[in-house]
């Protein structure tokens, strides 16, 4: 069933778990994600980042995802990840997405708030949910940087403070808030130093579901600690994409006559296996 982000996060807040937001760049990844959600009886968020439109445009991806969601027996959110312009948010809404993210985190706080307010008005007009971001999480997977491996800056100016989070939320009233506490998109060059005390203080300060970006590559304990400190939406893409690449390479190297069509079910099945395990870790299994 197709639902909004606000709907699935309400239960996550009540029962203190996180809903996984898994980026899908094609229909086979999306099929695997929904198969995992059906198997684990979990709500799920299927995301497509603005930087990933070059793989499958939202005008094609959106209607396909909506159809998959409507056929599913579990709650499915179709979400725009890291929309950087209002025009992009409008494009996703026209394509059937039930949730959008406006990302103004690289702007000054006043500019970010003003632009997010406009995005909130757009979301309310079309009855979709909206996520905002304050602080800044390094972006590799969204297409903003050419490299895949990222180094996480320890610079205080990029991390979210409880005061910033409160001001941003009060002035925008977003349905979910992404915060920076040490994670980064892409593959980590070294183990990130996650500031769970900072995250916990933000959680105590604002009455809004918190979002963790850059979820790939952490150990299971880090996910569970983040959830204990208030994370209710957990974004994940890079390690799934890498595992699919490794399996495809292995499969094509194993035969002298590789065929593209034979790769399709590899993607569906590996995505299902990979995502189902994470749903157990995030605590969303058996919540649908």
């Amino acid at each position: 069933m197709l639902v909004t982000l606000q709907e699935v996060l309400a239960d996550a807040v009540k029962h203190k778990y996180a809903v996984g937001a898994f980026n899908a760049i094609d229909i086979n990844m999306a099929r695997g994600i929904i198969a995992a959600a059906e198997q684990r009886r979990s709500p799920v968020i299927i995301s497509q980042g603005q930087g990933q439109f070059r793989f499958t445009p939202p005008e094609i991806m959106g209607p396909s995802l909506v159809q998959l969601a409507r056929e599913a027996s579990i709650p499915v959110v179709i979400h725009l990840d890291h929309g950087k312009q209002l025009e992009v948010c409008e494009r996703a809404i026209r394509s059937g997405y039930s949730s959008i993210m406006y990302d103004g985190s690289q702007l000054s706080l006043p500019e970010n708030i003003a632009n997010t307010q406009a995005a909130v008005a757009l979301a309310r007009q079309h009855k979709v949910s909206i996520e905002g971001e304050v602080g800044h999480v390094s972006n590799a997977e969204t297409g903003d940087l050419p490299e895949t491996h990222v180094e996480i800056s320890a610079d205080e100016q990029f991390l979210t403070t409880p005061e910033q989070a409160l001001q941003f939320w009060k002035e925008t009233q977003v349905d979910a808030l992404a915060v920076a506490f040490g994670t980064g998109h892409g593959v980590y060059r070294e183990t990130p130093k996650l500031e769970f005390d900072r995250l916990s203080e933000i959680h105590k300060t604002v009455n809004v579901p918190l979002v963790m970006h850059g979820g790939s590559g952490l150990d299971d304990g880090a996910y569970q600690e983040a959830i204990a400190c208030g994370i209710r939406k957990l974004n994940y893409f890079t390690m799934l994409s890498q595992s699919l690449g490794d399996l495809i390479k292995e499969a094509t190297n194993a035969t002298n006559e590789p065929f593209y069509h034979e790769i399709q079910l590899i993607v569906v099945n590996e995505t299902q296996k990979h995502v189902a395990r994470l749903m157990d870790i995030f605590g969303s299994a058996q919540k649908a």
Side-chain angles (χ1 to χ4, degrees):
M1 67 192 81
L2 180 65
V3 299
T4 66
L5 182 66
Q6 190 175 33
E7 289 176 271
V8 297
L9 292 188
D11 190 71
V13 168
K14 182 177 180 180
H15 294 104
K16 298 181 179 179
Y17 64 90
V19 182
F22 304 97
N23 288 60
I25 63 171
D26 63 24
I27 200 64
N28 290 313
M29 290 184 74
R31 289 171 60 204
I33 292 166
I34 289 183
E38 295 275 16
Q39 177 190 359
R40 304 307 300 135
R41 304 308 304 164
S42 171
V44 70
I45 302 158
I46 300 181
S47 299
Q48 185 186 25
Q50 176 179 337
Q52 297 167 336
F53 286 0
R54 67 190 188 274
F55 304 124
T56 310
E59 290 80 8
I60 297 172
M61 194 70 165
S64 300
L65 294 176
V66 168
Q67 182 63 27
L68 287 173
R70 287 175 174 162
E71 292 176 354
S73 65
I74 40 81
V76 180
V77 180
I78 308 303
H79 179 72
L80 168 67
D81 195 20
H82 293 287
K84 298 295 181 70
Q85 296 87 27
L86 283 180
E87 293 79 8
V88 172
C89 295
E90 290 175 334
R91 190 177 167 190
I93 291 170
R94 287 197 305 269
S95 299
Y97 291 59
S98 61
S99 175
I100 59 172
M101 176 192 183
Y102 172 75
D103 179 3
S105 62
Q106 292 180 301
L107 304 173
S108 68
L109 183 59
E111 288 178 299
N112 188 6
I113 288 172
N115 288 5
T116 303
Q117 288 171 335
V120 168
L122 177 68
R124 300 289 179 254
Q125 177 185 349
H126 293 279
K127 296 181 172 57
V128 302
S129 296
I130 181 165
E131 172 187 340
E133 181 173 337
V134 65
H136 181 63
V137 179
S138 303
N139 289 333
E141 74 181 37
T142 57
D144 300 322
L145 297 177
E147 66 270 24
T148 300
H149 292 75
V150 293
E151 295 180 356
I152 307 306
S153 173
D155 195 325
E156 186 78 15
Q157 67 175 314
F158 295 115
L159 301 179
T160 310
T161 67
E163 294 77 17
Q164 285 175 329
L166 182 60
Q167 180 186 354
F168 184 90
W169 177 66
K170 279 187 172 181
E171 296 189 31
T172 64
Q173 293 295 297
V174 290
D175 299 311
L177 180 61
V179 295
F181 62 100
T183 61
H185 298 109
V187 180
Y188 295 112
R189 293 186 185 276
E190 58 186 23
T191 303
K193 297 177 181 178
L194 305 184
E195 297 193 18
F196 291 117
D197 288 344
R198 176 186 297 269
L199 177 60
S200 184
E201 284 304 309
I202 294 170
H203 176 51
K204 293 174 184 176
T205 303
V206 296
N207 185 27
V208 63
L210 298 181
V211 180
M212 175 173 142
H213 285 254
S216 285
L218 302 177
D219 62 42
D220 295 351
Y223 296 133
Q224 292 165 343
E225 182 70 15
I227 293 166
C229 292
I231 291 297
R232 298 294 172 252
K233 173 176 176 279
L234 209 159
N235 288 28
Y236 190 98
F237 171 70
T238 303
M239 297 308 293
L240 172 58
S241 181
Q242 186 177 63
S243 72
L244 291 174
D246 288 342
L247 272 180
I248 290 168
K249 181 169 64 175
E250 180 181 322
T252 54
N253 287 342
T255 176
N256 291 326
E257 296 183 341
F259 291 98
Y260 176 70
H261 66 267
E262 294 177 347
I263 293 171
Q264 308 305 302
L265 289 181
I266 293 176
V267 172
V268 176
N269 294 335
E270 173 61 16
T271 299
Q272 178 180 357
K273 178 181 176 182
H274 196 116
V275 169
R277 189 189 82 85
L278 292 168
M279 288 171 168
D280 289 335
I281 295 167
F282 297 171
S284 65
Q286 307 304 320
K287 296 296 196 302

